[in-house]
Each structure stands twice: as structure tokens, then as C-alpha cells.
Amino acid sequence: MGVVVVAAGSGTRLGAERPKAFVEVVGTTILERAVAGVLEAAVDELVVVVPEDLVAEATGRVDPLRPEGVDVTVVAGGAERTDSVAAGLAALSDAVSVVLVHDAARCLTPVVVFERVLAALAAGAAGAIPGVPVVDTIKVVDAGGVITATPLRDSLRAVQTPQGFDRALLTAAHASGAAATDDAALVEALGHDVIVVEGDALGLKITTVDDLARAERLLSDH
Ligand code: CTP
Ligand code: MG
């Protein structure tokens, strides 16, 4: 199984001095926490995607975490998340038939979430992603702010990563060149069923300063 960890974003909403993956949470970078978490799963190959000017630094940070027998490669990402995922996919060897794409910013994700995604794929799903029930009522609005729909809350899930797919299918989905905020949307657009498995509160994405503070609290609780 191959994993692509995308860590090439700039972290505009976090507003730190360094790109988000290089910001520390309780003394360890988001990048290193994410990679260490991923490596608790049954990984054969890992590709880490970072800003071009930080490939050397990221290699130095990730290399000491590499277990015997696991291939780890660090490559440069692109302007959009989709570009970074595509760069990561291209760096996987031909031996990889199942791939998980994971946001470095979700660096507290427990290994059980990786295992649930992998179990769904092993059971035959073309794609599987973690999700949690939403607590708010969600409205669909038009450009003028007028509500056009109120989806039943019980049918909604807030989705996380790792998102797992048949590697060839995800590569084909990316070949469309479409933009999307997650990989599942690209695979759904090809008409394939993607399954949502149970996510975890620790799968939160560190996006804002508040999220960073929350992640620090969660770590001190464990
Ligand atoms: N990402 C990436 N390449 C990009 C944009 C995002 O690899 N061009 C990665 C981020 O590093 C992050 C994940 O995709 O791990 C989710 O993106 P997000 O949380 O939006 O991170 P940023 O884009 O860095 O943050 P912001 O949108 O606030 O700038
Ligand atoms: Mg972003």
C-alpha cells in the first residue's frame, strides 16, 4: 500500500511564519507528526509532498522516521492541493496498486482510521474515506444568500483523510484536470461508488490558530 501525504500548502489561514506543515505542535512539526502517524499503518511506500524550497529540509526531518523496508520519497508540490496530490501519485512506484491520500494538516489522525479505510478497500470498495456526522444544520445557498435546499442532517458527513482508492482509478480521476477540495469528488465524478467509513474527532484538520490550540490541548490530554 502506498501513501501520499500532502504538505505543500502555505497555511494562509493559520498565518504562521512558516508553511503550515513546518509549524510545531507541542515541540514537533505537523509534518513529522503526520508522517509518524501514517507509518503506524501497513505502509510499503510513502511519498511526502512539500513546497519546492523545503524538499531538502523535509527530507532531513522525515528520514529518521523511516522504518526498515519502507520507501520514503519527498517531492515538490504545486499551486493547488490537487496539483500536489498529482505530483505525489506520479512519484509512487508501479508496484503500488492501493493508495491513501492524507493531509499533513490532519496530523493527529489515529491509525484505526487508516485501518478502517484499508478494510473497506480490501472488501472491494473502489474508494473509501473517513467521515463524521455533522452537528450543524447545513444549508445550500445561491449567490444572493437565498437558501435553495436543506439537506437532511442525518444524511450528511464531514469528511476527513486518509482517502483510499485503487491507484489506477485515482490517477485516471486526476487526469481529468478538474479542481476539487477532496480526492473522492474526482472519483465520484467518474461514476464510481466511494464509501464513507467512521472517522475520528482526532482527524481534525489544523486550519486556524484555534485549531492549533485545540490540537495542543488534545495532545496534552493523551
Ligand atoms: N496542500 C498541498 N498543496 C497545496 C495546497 C494544500 O499539499 N497547494 C496540502 C496542505 O499542506 C494540507 C492539505 O493539503 O496538508 C489540506 O490543505 P489546507 O488545510 O487548505 O492547507 P493550506 O492550503 O496550507 O492552508 P490554507 O488553505 O489556509 O492556505
Ligand atoms: Mg488550502
PDB file of all heavy atoms in Angstrom, residues 132-169:
ATOM      1  N   VAL A 132     -17.449  11.986   9.648  1.00  0.00           N
ATOM      2  CA  VAL A 132     -18.150  12.056  10.940  1.00  0.00           C
ATOM      3  C   VAL A 132     -19.479  12.787  10.729  1.00  0.00           C
ATOM      4  O   VAL A 132     -19.594  13.639   9.840  1.00  0.00           O
ATOM      5  CB  VAL A 132     -17.299  12.780  12.012  1.00  0.00           C
ATOM      6  CG1 VAL A 132     -16.056  11.959  12.365  1.00  0.00           C
ATOM      7  CG2 VAL A 132     -16.887  14.176  11.559  1.00  0.00           C
ATOM      8  N   PRO A 133     -20.488  12.455  11.551  1.00  0.00           N
ATOM      9  CA  PRO A 133     -21.775  13.158  11.434  1.00  0.00           C
ATOM     10  C   PRO A 133     -21.579  14.660  11.666  1.00  0.00           C
ATOM     11  O   PRO A 133     -20.679  15.052  12.410  1.00  0.00           O
ATOM     12  CB  PRO A 133     -22.619  12.549  12.556  1.00  0.00           C
ATOM     13  CG  PRO A 133     -21.968  11.244  12.877  1.00  0.00           C
ATOM     14  CD  PRO A 133     -20.506  11.436  12.608  1.00  0.00           C
ATOM     15  N   VAL A 134     -22.403  15.485  11.026  1.00  0.00           N
ATOM     16  CA  VAL A 134     -22.281  16.928  11.255  1.00  0.00           C
ATOM     17  C   VAL A 134     -23.204  17.343  12.398  1.00  0.00           C
ATOM     18  O   VAL A 134     -24.253  16.727  12.609  1.00  0.00           O
ATOM     19  CB  VAL A 134     -22.576  17.761   9.976  1.00  0.00           C
ATOM     20  CG1 VAL A 134     -21.569  17.443   8.890  1.00  0.00           C
ATOM     21  CG2 VAL A 134     -23.979  17.531   9.492  1.00  0.00           C
ATOM     22  N   VAL A 135     -22.799  18.345  13.148  1.00  0.00           N
ATOM     23  CA  VAL A 135     -23.610  18.779  14.285  1.00  0.00           C
ATOM     24  C   VAL A 135     -24.517  19.960  13.914  1.00  0.00           C
ATOM     25  O   VAL A 135     -25.561  20.164  14.515  1.00  0.00           O
ATOM     26  CB  VAL A 135     -22.745  19.157  15.512  1.00  0.00           C
ATOM     27  CG1 VAL A 135     -22.067  17.931  16.077  1.00  0.00           C
ATOM     28  CG2 VAL A 135     -21.711  20.217  15.169  1.00  0.00           C
ATOM     29  N   ASP A 136     -24.102  20.733  12.913  1.00  0.00           N
ATOM     30  CA  ASP A 136     -24.911  21.876  12.490  1.00  0.00           C
ATOM     31  C   ASP A 136     -25.895  21.450  11.404  1.00  0.00           C
ATOM     32  O   ASP A 136     -25.650  20.496  10.672  1.00  0.00           O
ATOM     33  CB  ASP A 136     -24.008  22.981  11.912  1.00  0.00           C
ATOM     34  CG  ASP A 136     -23.072  23.568  12.950  1.00  0.00           C
ATOM     35  OD1 ASP A 136     -23.527  23.821  14.075  1.00  0.00           O
ATOM     36  OD2 ASP A 136     -21.885  23.761  12.613  1.00  0.00           O
ATOM     37  N   THR A 137     -26.972  22.204  11.275  1.00  0.00           N
ATOM     38  CA  THR A 137     -27.827  22.052  10.102  1.00  0.00           C
ATOM     39  C   THR A 137     -27.146  22.789   8.959  1.00  0.00           C
ATOM     40  O   THR A 137     -26.664  23.911   9.142  1.00  0.00           O
ATOM     41  CB  THR A 137     -29.222  22.653  10.387  1.00  0.00           C
ATOM     42  OG1 THR A 137     -29.817  21.889  11.427  1.00  0.00           O
ATOM     43  CG2 THR A 137     -30.109  22.628   9.149  1.00  0.00           C
ATOM     44  N   ILE A 138     -27.044  22.146   7.803  1.00  0.00           N
ATOM     45  CA  ILE A 138     -26.317  22.723   6.664  1.00  0.00           C
ATOM     46  C   ILE A 138     -27.320  23.196   5.609  1.00  0.00           C
ATOM     47  O   ILE A 138     -28.244  22.463   5.260  1.00  0.00           O
ATOM     48  CB  ILE A 138     -25.367  21.667   6.033  1.00  0.00           C
ATOM     49  CG1 ILE A 138     -24.466  21.003   7.089  1.00  0.00           C
ATOM     50  CG2 ILE A 138     -24.550  22.305   4.897  1.00  0.00           C
ATOM     51  CD1 ILE A 138     -23.277  21.791   7.557  1.00  0.00           C
ATOM     52  N   LYS A 139     -27.124  24.403   5.123  1.00  0.00           N
ATOM     53  CA  LYS A 139     -27.980  24.961   4.081  1.00  0.00           C
ATOM     54  C   LYS A 139     -27.203  25.084   2.780  1.00  0.00           C
ATOM     55  O   LYS A 139     -26.011  25.420   2.788  1.00  0.00           O
ATOM     56  CB  LYS A 139     -28.454  26.373   4.471  1.00  0.00           C
ATOM     57  CG  LYS A 139     -29.197  26.466   5.788  1.00  0.00           C
ATOM     58  CD  LYS A 139     -30.592  25.889   5.688  1.00  0.00           C
ATOM     59  CE  LYS A 139     -31.366  26.117   6.984  1.00  0.00           C
ATOM     60  NZ  LYS A 139     -32.693  25.451   6.950  1.00  0.00           N
ATOM     61  N   VAL A 140     -27.904  24.878   1.660  1.00  0.00           N
ATOM     62  CA  VAL A 140     -27.336  25.202   0.347  1.00  0.00           C
ATOM     63  C   VAL A 140     -27.881  26.575  -0.022  1.00  0.00           C
ATOM     64  O   VAL A 140     -29.097  26.804   0.088  1.00  0.00           O
ATOM     65  CB  VAL A 140     -27.761  24.157  -0.721  1.00  0.00           C
ATOM     66  CG1 VAL A 140     -27.147  24.500  -2.072  1.00  0.00           C
ATOM     67  CG2 VAL A 140     -27.352  22.754  -0.269  1.00  0.00           C
ATOM     68  N   VAL A 141     -26.995  27.515  -0.400  1.00  0.00           N
ATOM     69  CA  VAL A 141     -27.458  28.866  -0.724  1.00  0.00           C
ATOM     70  C   VAL A 141     -27.018  29.253  -2.140  1.00  0.00           C
ATOM     71  O   VAL A 141     -26.036  28.707  -2.661  1.00  0.00           O
ATOM     72  CB  VAL A 141     -26.921  29.918   0.276  1.00  0.00           C
ATOM     73  CG1 VAL A 141     -27.488  29.685   1.668  1.00  0.00           C
ATOM     74  CG2 VAL A 141     -25.398  29.926   0.316  1.00  0.00           C
ATOM     75  N   ASP A 142     -27.730  30.192  -2.734  1.00  0.00           N
ATOM     76  CA  ASP A 142     -27.309  30.705  -4.045  1.00  0.00           C
ATOM     77  C   ASP A 142     -26.405  31.921  -3.840  1.00  0.00           C
ATOM     78  O   ASP A 142     -26.097  32.295  -2.700  1.00  0.00           O
ATOM     79  CB  ASP A 142     -28.522  30.987  -4.950  1.00  0.00           C
ATOM     80  CG  ASP A 142     -29.364  32.163  -4.444  1.00  0.00           C
ATOM     81  OD1 ASP A 142     -28.881  32.941  -3.585  1.00  0.00           O
ATOM     82  OD2 ASP A 142     -30.512  32.309  -4.922  1.00  0.00           O
ATOM     83  N   ALA A 143     -25.982  32.543  -4.949  1.00  0.00           N
ATOM     84  CA  ALA A 143     -25.032  33.655  -4.874  1.00  0.00           C
ATOM     85  C   ALA A 143     -25.579  34.814  -4.037  1.00  0.00           C
ATOM     86  O   ALA A 143     -24.819  35.581  -3.438  1.00  0.00           O
ATOM     87  CB  ALA A 143     -24.669  34.135  -6.275  1.00  0.00           C
ATOM     88  N   GLY A 144     -26.894  34.933  -3.976  1.00  0.00           N
ATOM     89  CA  GLY A 144     -27.507  36.018  -3.212  1.00  0.00           C
ATOM     90  C   GLY A 144     -27.752  35.661  -1.755  1.00  0.00           C
ATOM     91  O   GLY A 144     -28.327  36.446  -1.005  1.00  0.00           O
ATOM     92  N   GLY A 145     -27.331  34.444  -1.357  1.00  0.00           N
ATOM     93  CA  GLY A 145     -27.521  34.023   0.030  1.00  0.00           C
ATOM     94  C   GLY A 145     -28.884  33.410   0.304  1.00  0.00           C
ATOM     95  O   GLY A 145     -29.210  33.085   1.449  1.00  0.00           O
ATOM     96  N   VAL A 146     -29.679  33.251  -0.740  1.00  0.00           N
ATOM     97  CA  VAL A 146     -31.003  32.653  -0.545  1.00  0.00           C
ATOM     98  C   VAL A 146     -30.860  31.132  -0.468  1.00  0.00           C
ATOM     99  O   VAL A 146     -30.178  30.518  -1.292  1.00  0.00           O
ATOM    100  CB  VAL A 146     -31.957  33.037  -1.705  1.00  0.00           C
ATOM    101  CG1 VAL A 146     -33.315  32.349  -1.541  1.00  0.00           C
ATOM    102  CG2 VAL A 146     -32.121  34.550  -1.766  1.00  0.00           C
ATOM    103  N   ILE A 147     -31.499  30.546   0.551  1.00  0.00           N
ATOM    104  CA  ILE A 147     -31.399  29.087   0.742  1.00  0.00           C
ATOM    105  C   ILE A 147     -32.167  28.375  -0.366  1.00  0.00           C
ATOM    106  O   ILE A 147     -33.336  28.685  -0.630  1.00  0.00           O
ATOM    107  CB  ILE A 147     -31.948  28.695   2.127  1.00  0.00           C
ATOM    108  CG1 ILE A 147     -31.044  29.296   3.214  1.00  0.00           C
ATOM    109  CG2 ILE A 147     -32.050  27.177   2.272  1.00  0.00           C
ATOM    110  CD1 ILE A 147     -31.653  29.282   4.607  1.00  0.00           C
ATOM    111  N   THR A 148     -31.456  27.441  -1.011  1.00  0.00           N
ATOM    112  CA  THR A 148     -32.098  26.673  -2.080  1.00  0.00           C
ATOM    113  C   THR A 148     -32.380  25.232  -1.668  1.00  0.00           C
ATOM    114  O   THR A 148     -33.148  24.545  -2.324  1.00  0.00           O
ATOM    115  CB  THR A 148     -31.234  26.682  -3.358  1.00  0.00           C
ATOM    116  OG1 THR A 148     -29.940  26.150  -3.030  1.00  0.00           O
ATOM    117  CG2 THR A 148     -31.072  28.093  -3.911  1.00  0.00           C
ATOM    118  N   ALA A 149     -31.759  24.789  -0.581  1.00  0.00           N
ATOM    119  CA  ALA A 149     -32.027  23.430  -0.106  1.00  0.00           C
ATOM    120  C   ALA A 149     -31.548  23.273   1.335  1.00  0.00           C
ATOM    121  O   ALA A 149     -30.628  23.972   1.768  1.00  0.00           O
ATOM    122  CB  ALA A 149     -31.319  22.403  -0.983  1.00  0.00           C
ATOM    123  N   THR A 150     -32.184  22.358   2.070  1.00  0.00           N
ATOM    124  CA  THR A 150     -31.761  21.985   3.414  1.00  0.00           C
ATOM    125  C   THR A 150     -31.633  20.467   3.441  1.00  0.00           C
ATOM    126  O   THR A 150     -32.599  19.762   3.680  1.00  0.00           O
ATOM    127  CB  THR A 150     -32.789  22.465   4.471  1.00  0.00           C
ATOM    128  OG1 THR A 150     -32.965  23.876   4.331  1.00  0.00           O
ATOM    129  CG2 THR A 150     -32.309  22.159   5.883  1.00  0.00           C
ATOM    130  N   PRO A 151     -30.410  19.964   3.175  1.00  0.00           N
ATOM    131  CA  PRO A 151     -30.248  18.505   3.158  1.00  0.00           C
ATOM    132  C   PRO A 151     -30.531  17.922   4.553  1.00  0.00           C
ATOM    133  O   PRO A 151     -30.249  18.573   5.561  1.00  0.00           O
ATOM    134  CB  PRO A 151     -28.765  18.305   2.794  1.00  0.00           C
ATOM    135  CG  PRO A 151     -28.294  19.619   2.265  1.00  0.00           C
ATOM    136  CD  PRO A 151     -29.162  20.671   2.873  1.00  0.00           C
ATOM    137  N   LEU A 152     -31.104  16.745   4.599  1.00  0.00           N
ATOM    138  CA  LEU A 152     -31.362  16.080   5.876  1.00  0.00           C
ATOM    139  C   LEU A 152     -30.045  15.860   6.607  1.00  0.00           C
ATOM    140  O   LEU A 152     -29.122  15.258   6.065  1.00  0.00           O
ATOM    141  CB  LEU A 152     -32.014  14.715   5.632  1.00  0.00           C
ATOM    142  CG  LEU A 152     -33.512  14.710   5.352  1.00  0.00           C
ATOM    143  CD1 LEU A 152     -33.970  13.285   5.098  1.00  0.00           C
ATOM    144  CD2 LEU A 152     -34.266  15.334   6.521  1.00  0.00           C
ATOM    145  N   ARG A 153     -29.944  16.368   7.846  1.00  0.00           N
ATOM    146  CA  ARG A 153     -28.670  16.305   8.550  1.00  0.00           C
ATOM    147  C   ARG A 153     -28.165  14.873   8.722  1.00  0.00           C
ATOM    148  O   ARG A 153     -26.971  14.611   8.652  1.00  0.00           O
ATOM    149  CB  ARG A 153     -28.789  17.008   9.904  1.00  0.00           C
ATOM    150  CG  ARG A 153     -27.429  17.214  10.546  1.00  0.00           C
ATOM    151  CD  ARG A 153     -27.506  18.112  11.749  1.00  0.00           C
ATOM    152  NE  ARG A 153     -28.400  17.552  12.747  1.00  0.00           N
ATOM    153  CZ  ARG A 153     -28.823  18.222  13.809  1.00  0.00           C
ATOM    154  NH1 ARG A 153     -28.464  19.470  13.981  1.00  0.00           N
ATOM    155  NH2 ARG A 153     -29.615  17.653  14.673  1.00  0.00           N
ATOM    156  N   ASP A 154     -29.112  13.938   8.944  1.00  0.00           N
ATOM    157  CA  ASP A 154     -28.691  12.546   9.133  1.00  0.00           C
ATOM    158  C   ASP A 154     -27.975  11.975   7.916  1.00  0.00           C
ATOM    159  O   ASP A 154     -27.267  10.977   8.023  1.00  0.00           O
ATOM    160  CB  ASP A 154     -29.906  11.659   9.455  1.00  0.00           C
ATOM    161  CG  ASP A 154     -30.376  11.870  10.883  1.00  0.00           C
ATOM    162  OD1 ASP A 154     -29.673  12.585  11.631  1.00  0.00           O
ATOM    163  OD2 ASP A 154     -31.434  11.315  11.232  1.00  0.00           O
ATOM    164  N   SER A 155     -28.178  12.608   6.752  1.00  0.00           N
ATOM    165  CA  SER A 155     -27.552  12.078   5.534  1.00  0.00           C
ATOM    166  C   SER A 155     -26.189  12.727   5.270  1.00  0.00           C
ATOM    167  O   SER A 155     -25.514  12.369   4.311  1.00  0.00           O
ATOM    168  CB  SER A 155     -28.463  12.329   4.327  1.00  0.00           C
ATOM    169  OG  SER A 155     -28.441  13.711   3.987  1.00  0.00           O
ATOM    170  N   LEU A 156     -25.780  13.668   6.112  1.00  0.00           N
ATOM    171  CA  LEU A 156     -24.539  14.425   5.853  1.00  0.00           C
ATOM    172  C   LEU A 156     -23.362  13.900   6.672  1.00  0.00           C
ATOM    173  O   LEU A 156     -23.524  13.456   7.811  1.00  0.00           O
ATOM    174  CB  LEU A 156     -24.752  15.907   6.179  1.00  0.00           C
ATOM    175  CG  LEU A 156     -25.800  16.620   5.333  1.00  0.00           C
ATOM    176  CD1 LEU A 156     -26.046  18.029   5.866  1.00  0.00           C
ATOM    177  CD2 LEU A 156     -25.370  16.688   3.874  1.00  0.00           C
ATOM    178  N   ARG A 157     -22.185  13.950   6.093  1.00  0.00           N
ATOM    179  CA  ARG A 157     -20.946  13.599   6.800  1.00  0.00           C
ATOM    180  C   ARG A 157     -19.897  14.667   6.493  1.00  0.00           C
ATOM    181  O   ARG A 157     -19.759  15.081   5.338  1.00  0.00           O
ATOM    182  CB  ARG A 157     -20.388  12.245   6.316  1.00  0.00           C
ATOM    183  CG  ARG A 157     -21.308  11.061   6.541  1.00  0.00           C
ATOM    184  CD  ARG A 157     -21.432  10.698   8.021  1.00  0.00           C
ATOM    185  NE  ARG A 157     -22.336   9.568   8.208  1.00  0.00           N
ATOM    186  CZ  ARG A 157     -23.667   9.679   8.320  1.00  0.00           C
ATOM    187  NH1 ARG A 157     -24.244  10.872   8.284  1.00  0.00           N
ATOM    188  NH2 ARG A 157     -24.411   8.616   8.476  1.00  0.00           N
ATOM    189  N   ALA A 158     -19.152  15.080   7.510  1.00  0.00           N
ATOM    190  CA  ALA A 158     -17.975  15.935   7.298  1.00  0.00           C
ATOM    191  C   ALA A 158     -16.815  14.975   7.071  1.00  0.00           C
ATOM    192  O   ALA A 158     -16.539  14.123   7.924  1.00  0.00           O
ATOM    193  CB  ALA A 158     -17.728  16.794   8.532  1.00  0.00           C
ATOM    194  N   VAL A 159     -16.152  15.076   5.932  1.00  0.00           N
ATOM    195  CA  VAL A 159     -15.178  14.036   5.598  1.00  0.00           C
ATOM    196  C   VAL A 159     -13.746  14.475   5.884  1.00  0.00           C
ATOM    197  O   VAL A 159     -13.432  15.659   5.954  1.00  0.00           O
ATOM    198  CB  VAL A 159     -15.337  13.522   4.154  1.00  0.00           C
ATOM    199  CG1 VAL A 159     -16.750  12.982   3.960  1.00  0.00           C
ATOM    200  CG2 VAL A 159     -14.990  14.566   3.120  1.00  0.00           C
ATOM    201  N   GLN A 160     -12.922  13.470   6.079  1.00  0.00           N
ATOM    202  CA  GLN A 160     -11.535  13.665   6.511  1.00  0.00           C
ATOM    203  C   GLN A 160     -10.611  12.937   5.537  1.00  0.00           C
ATOM    204  O   GLN A 160     -11.034  12.509   4.458  1.00  0.00           O
ATOM    205  CB  GLN A 160     -11.385  13.068   7.925  1.00  0.00           C
ATOM    206  CG  GLN A 160     -12.413  13.606   8.941  1.00  0.00           C
ATOM    207  CD  GLN A 160     -12.328  12.935  10.302  1.00  0.00           C
ATOM    208  OE1 GLN A 160     -11.907  11.785  10.408  1.00  0.00           O
ATOM    209  NE2 GLN A 160     -12.736  13.651  11.337  1.00  0.00           N
ATOM    210  N   THR A 161      -9.371  12.811   5.921  1.00  0.00           N
ATOM    211  CA  THR A 161      -8.434  11.937   5.231  1.00  0.00           C
ATOM    212  C   THR A 161      -7.891  10.980   6.305  1.00  0.00           C
ATOM    213  O   THR A 161      -8.047  11.272   7.480  1.00  0.00           O
ATOM    214  CB  THR A 161      -7.266  12.727   4.587  1.00  0.00           C
ATOM    215  OG1 THR A 161      -6.416  13.251   5.598  1.00  0.00           O
ATOM    216  CG2 THR A 161      -7.787  13.835   3.683  1.00  0.00           C
ATOM    217  N   PRO A 162      -7.274   9.854   5.940  1.00  0.00           N
ATOM    218  CA  PRO A 162      -6.841   9.413   4.622  1.00  0.00           C
ATOM    219  C   PRO A 162      -8.008   8.953   3.733  1.00  0.00           C
ATOM    220  O   PRO A 162      -8.934   8.312   4.198  1.00  0.00           O
ATOM    221  CB  PRO A 162      -5.924   8.227   4.939  1.00  0.00           C
ATOM    222  CG  PRO A 162      -6.470   7.671   6.217  1.00  0.00           C
ATOM    223  CD  PRO A 162      -6.908   8.883   6.998  1.00  0.00           C
ATOM    224  N   GLN A 163      -7.913   9.322   2.453  1.00  0.00           N
ATOM    225  CA  GLN A 163      -8.880   8.867   1.460  1.00  0.00           C
ATOM    226  C   GLN A 163      -8.177   7.816   0.603  1.00  0.00           C
ATOM    227  O   GLN A 163      -7.114   8.086   0.034  1.00  0.00           O
ATOM    228  CB  GLN A 163      -9.355  10.048   0.620  1.00  0.00           C
ATOM    229  CG  GLN A 163     -10.029  11.133   1.482  1.00  0.00           C
ATOM    230  CD  GLN A 163     -10.882  12.103   0.698  1.00  0.00           C
ATOM    231  OE1 GLN A 163     -10.743  12.232  -0.528  1.00  0.00           O
ATOM    232  NE2 GLN A 163     -11.781  12.792   1.386  1.00  0.00           N
ATOM    233  N   GLY A 164      -8.772   6.621   0.541  1.00  0.00           N
ATOM    234  CA  GLY A 164      -8.118   5.494  -0.120  1.00  0.00           C
ATOM    235  C   GLY A 164      -8.809   5.083  -1.409  1.00  0.00           C
ATOM    236  O   GLY A 164     -10.039   5.105  -1.497  1.00  0.00           O
ATOM    237  N   PHE A 165      -8.009   4.708  -2.396  1.00  0.00           N
ATOM    238  CA  PHE A 165      -8.546   4.346  -3.717  1.00  0.00           C
ATOM    239  C   PHE A 165      -7.668   3.294  -4.384  1.00  0.00           C
ATOM    240  O   PHE A 165      -6.479   3.160  -4.079  1.00  0.00           O
ATOM    241  CB  PHE A 165      -8.567   5.582  -4.647  1.00  0.00           C
ATOM    242  CG  PHE A 165      -9.256   6.770  -4.067  1.00  0.00           C
ATOM    243  CD1 PHE A 165      -8.535   7.736  -3.379  1.00  0.00           C
ATOM    244  CD2 PHE A 165     -10.636   6.910  -4.165  1.00  0.00           C
ATOM    245  CE1 PHE A 165      -9.164   8.826  -2.802  1.00  0.00           C
ATOM    246  CE2 PHE A 165     -11.272   8.000  -3.585  1.00  0.00           C
ATOM    247  CZ  PHE A 165     -10.534   8.960  -2.914  1.00  0.00           C
ATOM    248  N   ASP A 166      -8.263   2.636  -5.361  1.00  0.00           N
ATOM    249  CA  ASP A 166      -7.485   1.892  -6.330  1.00  0.00           C
ATOM    250  C   ASP A 166      -6.578   2.916  -7.021  1.00  0.00           C
ATOM    251  O   ASP A 166      -7.045   3.971  -7.460  1.00  0.00           O
ATOM    252  CB  ASP A 166      -8.456   1.243  -7.322  1.00  0.00           C
ATOM    253  CG  ASP A 166      -7.733   0.593  -8.466  1.00  0.00           C
ATOM    254  OD1 ASP A 166      -7.238  -0.519  -8.287  1.00  0.00           O
ATOM    255  OD2 ASP A 166      -7.657   1.237  -9.538  1.00  0.00           O
ATOM    256  N   ARG A 167      -5.300   2.621  -7.093  1.00  0.00           N
ATOM    257  CA  ARG A 167      -4.336   3.626  -7.571  1.00  0.00           C
ATOM    258  C   ARG A 167      -4.627   4.059  -9.011  1.00  0.00           C
ATOM    259  O   ARG A 167      -4.570   5.255  -9.327  1.00  0.00           O
ATOM    260  CB  ARG A 167      -2.928   3.050  -7.435  1.00  0.00           C
ATOM    261  CG  ARG A 167      -1.810   4.035  -7.720  1.00  0.00           C
ATOM    262  CD  ARG A 167      -1.185   3.803  -9.075  1.00  0.00           C
ATOM    263  NE  ARG A 167      -0.100   4.721  -9.335  1.00  0.00           N
ATOM    264  CZ  ARG A 167       1.186   4.424  -9.177  1.00  0.00           C
ATOM    265  NH1 ARG A 167       1.537   3.233  -8.752  1.00  0.00           N
ATOM    266  NH2 ARG A 167       2.118   5.318  -9.462  1.00  0.00           N
ATOM    267  N   ALA A 168      -4.934   3.083  -9.884  1.00  0.00           N
ATOM    268  CA  ALA A 168      -5.180   3.413 -11.294  1.00  0.00           C
ATOM    269  C   ALA A 168      -6.411   4.314 -11.433  1.00  0.00           C
ATOM    270  O   ALA A 168      -6.434   5.249 -12.246  1.00  0.00           O
ATOM    271  CB  ALA A 168      -5.344   2.131 -12.113  1.00  0.00           C
ATOM    272  N   LEU A 169      -7.421   4.029 -10.602  1.00  0.00           N
ATOM    273  CA  LEU A 169      -8.655   4.826 -10.645  1.00  0.00           C
ATOM    274  C   LEU A 169      -8.383   6.272 -10.217  1.00  0.00           C
ATOM    275  O   LEU A 169      -8.846   7.225 -10.862  1.00  0.00           O
ATOM    276  CB  LEU A 169      -9.691   4.173  -9.721  1.00  0.00           C
ATOM    277  CG  LEU A 169     -11.034   4.873  -9.575  1.00  0.00           C
ATOM    278  CD1 LEU A 169     -11.719   5.015 -10.933  1.00  0.00           C
ATOM    279  CD2 LEU A 169     -11.928   4.098  -8.608  1.00  0.00           C
TER     280      LEU A 169
END
